[in-house]
Amino acid sequence: MPSLVACAPSSLLLSVEVAGVVLVLFLVFGIALGYLLSQPIPFRGLLDAIISLPLVFPPIAIGFFLLMAFGRHGPIGGWLHQTLDWDLVFSFQALVLASFVAGLPLVVKPIQSAIEGSARDLIEAAYTLGKGRFETLILVVIPVVRRSIVAGLTLGVGRSFGEVGITLMLGGNIIGSTETLSLAIYNQVLDGDFACASRLSILLGLVSLALFVLLRKLGRL
């Protein structure tokens, strides 16, 4: 393992840190949005389209629009800079946002489909018995669709490890600061160091495989 990370020692740790934060966000927002989209709510189609956009829209273009929104002169980034004196772009938080946006539909859609299929009757029964939406989510929905939750988390976190386009725009690809493992491979190829790129690619594959096996085991509990 040490020889694999020798050419980009900080990139693996950074990618793992980003994936860890994104996993927590997916657990909260992925499950909540999957549950919400399975209900007859106002503007459901619009919300579904926004969440699903990364599946069909080029990542580099999404990254550009996010950069325009969260940059220092953007509507959101400008407010953050003036109010909190904080710049989101080219930071760890920007990497988290990029990975979250890229992987969110892969988490939400399996959960939404599972709820609309196997859990719908149970949800209606819970409502009939006087249970609220939050109580129904915790006591009924999550236990029933836990395998779909694990599948979504596996896809979403795996996507975070492989994200390049949005991360490149928001994170800036700063070596030693915002260079994730995927960007390190990209940089090594640009530098012509294909041996290092090969080692990092193998490492990325091993990390993704280990994550997949771990989450699959958790899904069987």
Side-chain angles (χ1 to χ4, degrees):
M1 184 67 72
S3 62
L4 291 177
V5 299
C7 50
S10 63
S11 299
L12 174 61
L13 178 59
L14 180 60
S15 294
V16 171
E17 290 174 347
V18 170
V21 176
V22 168
L23 177 60
V24 175
L25 294 177
F26 284 157
L27 277 170
V28 177
F29 293 99
I31 296 174
L33 288 171
Y35 180 47
L36 192 63
L37 288 175
S38 68
Q39 308 299 303
I41 60 171
F43 306 107
R44 172 185 169 183
L46 177 61
L47 179 60
D48 195 2
I50 293 174
I51 293 174
S52 303
L53 192 62
L55 296 176
V56 296
F57 206 64
I60 198 72
I62 293 177
F64 171 75
F65 288 124
L66 289 175
L67 180 62
M68 292 296 99
F70 288 94
R72 180 173 293 187
H73 301 292
I76 302 176
W79 179 83
L80 291 173
H81 179 74
Q82 294 176 4
T83 306
L84 305 176
D85 192 25
W86 177 58
D87 295 320
L88 174 70
V89 296
F90 308 149
S91 67
F92 176 80
Q93 290 79 11
L95 302 180
V96 172
L97 177 60
S99 295
F100 177 75
V101 170
L104 184 61
L106 298 176
V107 180
V108 171
K109 302 311 289 184
I111 297 173
Q112 178 187 353
S113 298
I115 293 174
E116 291 175 343
S118 59
R120 182 178 295 278
D121 292 339
L122 294 175
I123 292 174
E124 293 178 355
Y127 290 162
T128 302
L129 294 173
K131 304 296 184 181
R133 285 194 173 185
F134 181 76
E135 193 174 7
T136 300
L137 172 63
I138 300 299
L139 299 179
V140 177
V141 175
I142 291 179
V144 171
V145 302
R146 65 182 184 277
R147 293 184 184 275
S148 295
I149 292 174
V150 171
L153 292 176
T154 303
L155 294 173
V157 176
R159 180 71 178 85
S160 76
F161 273 105
E163 168 53 36
V164 173
I166 305 177
T167 303
L168 190 62
M169 280 289 180
L170 284 182
N173 193 16
I174 303 172
I175 297 177
S177 178
T178 60
E179 182 192 47
T180 62
L181 193 55
S182 294
L183 289 178
I185 296 171
Y186 172 79
N187 291 331
Q188 295 302 329
V189 171
L190 289 182
D191 292 340
D193 192 346
F194 293 100
C196 181
S198 298
R199 293 196 295 271
L200 292 177
S201 297
I202 294 172
L203 176 62
L204 181 59
L206 291 175
V207 171
S208 300
L209 180 61
L211 176 67
F212 174 78
V213 172
L214 175 61
L215 291 177
R216 289 287 289 182
K217 286 184 177 181
L218 291 176
R220 296 192 182 100
L221 296 179

